[in-house]
Amino acid sequence: MTVKSPLTETAISAYRQYFEKSPEFLVRAPGRVNLIGEHTDYNNGFVLPCAISAHTIIAIGRNNRDVVDIVACDLEDAREAFPTKIPVTRSASNPWSDYFRGVFSEFQSEKLPTGGVNVVVASSIPHGAGLSSSAALEVGFAAALAETFSDQNIAHSRLARIAQRAENDFVGLQCGIMDQLASACGIENHALLIDCMTNAFERKRFPDNVSLMIVHSGVKHTHVGGEYNQRRKQCEQACAILEVDSLRQASMCDIENSKLSGDALKRARHVVSENQRTLEAADALERGEHKRLGELMNASHVSMRDDFEITTPEIDELVSILQAEIGQEGGARMTGGGFGGCVVAILPNAISTRVRSAVIRDYFKGQHGIILEGKPEAGLSVTQYSSPL
Ligand code: GLA
């Protein structure tokens, strides 16, 4: 597959400027949006994400020095280098480089070949928007290292697991597999129904007559070490009370008849009902029933707001505006980890201009805002750019 993007020019010209030669490989790793199935992945449940057009480009080439030397075009060409010797450590001054350090360190733990490289990264995925800009970085860098140093073909799903471990063990966010798998394995015009107990996924075709609309609330989220990890702990506490290994094993009936109370009850109720909604949503998508999918997305939002308690007043307002404008024709919900970020809507192509105008008028009060529209896109791709030295 070929890497095509206006960002590739930015990355190539920065690479030439800073490293005075051409990169060997270009990698394109997309962001993702989750249609439904939130905070279910680390509970061994189901999710229904797809890759999106916003993406990250990584240009890479060997440098024959024992350092990883990175330039980040989106951070005003910030530059950071770290030695390749074990152990790779975290950066106090440039935490953005921890995503690269984490992936590099996981390659070393897995005894996969590595070496010194020059890297340029450029991205069109808004940061802190819940569209997995960090997963795209990790997956993209993992693919770039694999392509540069490995003789064997490393499966995209394995690169996703390496990227997830970098996030869990190095960066410190106890996330599930959804973001990395969607970025690595996304399929054009399809959503992926992922069973996070086995990481197996099925493709679900996206209907031709509907589109996705993703709107950034403008509230930036940060997850690392905060509310996200706390939610995960609360789910584990619920499992201990229910005497199950994961919430995948619990039914709504088990929850209603259990000793769960307070936050643990609410968190478990969200996860178990969300799994059910996600399976129904995948069926609805398969049958082309976007109205049913919309209803399930609306119900998911209520559950995230009232039971999992991860929405914000701005997000709730934006969802209400979208739902009111879309009516019975589709639906809308917050997407991603929560506490800010984006809202995703599904709606017929025929009404998208009207809905977009309503969002600009009622939410952005006529000002500029980030609104992405389109269909599911393909996942990770890699191309050779120039011959090795
Ligand atoms: C973040 C995490 C994912 C997932 C979502 C919530 O995006 O990285 O693993 O848990 O939040 O569904």
Side-chain angles (χ1 to χ4, degrees):
M1 243 200 275
T2 50
V3 172
K4 274 199 219 118
S5 154
L7 279 181
T8 51
E9 285 313 313
T10 309
I12 292 166
S13 83
Y15 194 98
R16 288 194 178 126
Q17 179 189 341
Y18 289 97
F19 302 120
E20 295 173 353
K21 54 186 149 199
S22 296
E24 286 176 59
F25 296 100
L26 293 172
V27 177
R28 182 191 213 268
R32 68 93 190 92
V33 70
N34 188 20
L35 299 183
I36 194 164
E38 223 64 82
H39 288 261
T40 44
D41 60 354
Y42 57 79
N43 285 301
N44 278 354
F46 297 97
V47 293
L48 192 63
C50 53
I52 58 172
S53 59
H55 60 274
T56 292
I57 294 288
I58 290 185
I60 191 167
R62 274 167 271 197
N63 60 17
N64 300 320
R65 295 183 293 138
D66 293 329
V67 291
V68 176
D69 195 349
I70 315 163
V71 173
C73 296
D74 315 313
L75 298 173
E76 296 171 345
D77 290 2
R79 190 164 178 176
E80 171 79 358
F82 62 87
T84 57
K85 69 173 192 301
I86 296 172
V88 171
T89 53
R90 291 177 66 156
S91 166
S93 50
N94 278 317
W96 59 266
S97 70
D98 287 345
Y99 297 108
F100 295 90
R101 291 164 184 264
V103 169
F104 200 88
S105 163
E106 289 301 330
F107 264 66
Q108 290 174 328
S109 313
E110 295 218 0
K111 309 236 172 323
L112 289 167
T114 58
V117 276
N118 296 329
V119 178
V120 168
V121 56
S123 181
S124 59
I125 310 171
H127 294 258
L131 299 178
S132 298
S133 55
S134 45
L137 264 191
E138 293 153 351
V139 164
F141 186 50
L145 282 179
E147 200 65 33
T148 308
F149 293 105
S150 196
D151 300 337
Q152 8 140 337
N153 197 5
I154 304 182
H156 285 189
S157 53
R158 181 169 176 206
L159 295 175
R161 285 198 301 280
I162 291 175
Q164 181 201 12
R165 275 200 298 278
E167 183 93 36
N168 291 168
D169 302 343
F170 202 90
V171 178
L173 180 73
Q174 298 308 312
C175 66
I177 190 68
M178 170 171 71
D179 304 350
Q180 290 79 7
L181 208 52
S183 177
C185 301
I187 302 168
E188 195 176 1
N189 280 324
H190 290 78
L192 304 182
L193 174 65
I194 306 173
D195 178 342
C196 300
M197 192 151 77
T198 58
N199 289 350
F201 58 84
E202 287 170 36
R203 49 167 85 190
K204 300 286 170 185
R205 195 173 164 82
F206 200 78
D208 290 338
N209 57 333
V210 294
S211 326
L212 292 168
M213 185 177 282
I214 302 165
V215 187
H216 190 354
S217 65
V219 181
K220 285 204 173 189
H221 73 171
T222 50
H223 286 327
V224 178
E227 298 266 11
Y228 184 96
N229 289 351
Q230 189 208 41
R231 289 298 181 284
R232 185 164 181 160
K233 255 206 186 96
Q234 290 169 332
C235 291
E236 285 161 8
Q237 284 157 0
C239 286
I241 296 170
L242 289 165
E243 297 178 9
V244 290
D245 291 336
S246 78
L247 288 174
R248 170 74 171 271
Q249 286 140 0
S251 65
M252 283 309 265
C253 194
D254 296 334
I255 288 176
E256 275 150 27
N257 298 323
S258 71
K259 294 194 194 101
L260 286 173
S261 62
D263 284 347
L265 170 64
K266 291 206 250 176
R267 308 305 185 234
R269 195 162 56 201
H270 164 73
V271 172
V272 174
S273 64
E274 185 81 345
N275 275 334
Q276 194 52 44
R277 280 186 292 272
T278 304
L279 289 174
E280 279 186 50
D283 280 349
L285 201 55
E286 192 141 63
R287 291 195 303 268
E289 292 174 2
H290 68 271
K291 294 184 186 182
R292 177 69 188 136
L293 173 59
E295 278 171 12
L296 292 159
M297 289 168 73
N298 293 348
S300 167
H301 188 79
V302 172
S303 181
M304 290 190 291
R305 185 192 63 201
D306 298 345
D307 275 348
F308 220 63
E309 298 178 289
I310 52 172
T311 70
T312 67
E314 297 87 348
I315 287 275
D316 293 337
E317 187 199 343
L318 180 52
V319 165
S320 301
I321 292 169
L322 280 158
Q323 288 177 347
E325 201 61 35
I326 296 169
Q328 309 292 309
E329 294 296 317
R333 60 185 283 282
M334 188 191 71
T335 185
F339 309 102
C342 282
V343 161
V344 61
I346 185 148
L347 67 170
N349 303 333
I351 67 167
S352 76
T353 309
R354 170 165 61 77
V355 173
R356 187 187 179 94
S357 305
V359 169
I360 294 172
R361 184 190 62 226
D362 297 342
Y363 187 75
F364 293 117
K365 312 289 180 219
Q367 302 295 306
H368 172 75
I370 299 177
I371 305 178
L372 311 175
E373 284 177 76
K375 305 270 188 185
E377 299 278 343
L380 188 61
S381 59
V382 184
T383 21
Q384 179 153 19
Y385 185 72
S386 64
S387 310
L389 298 172

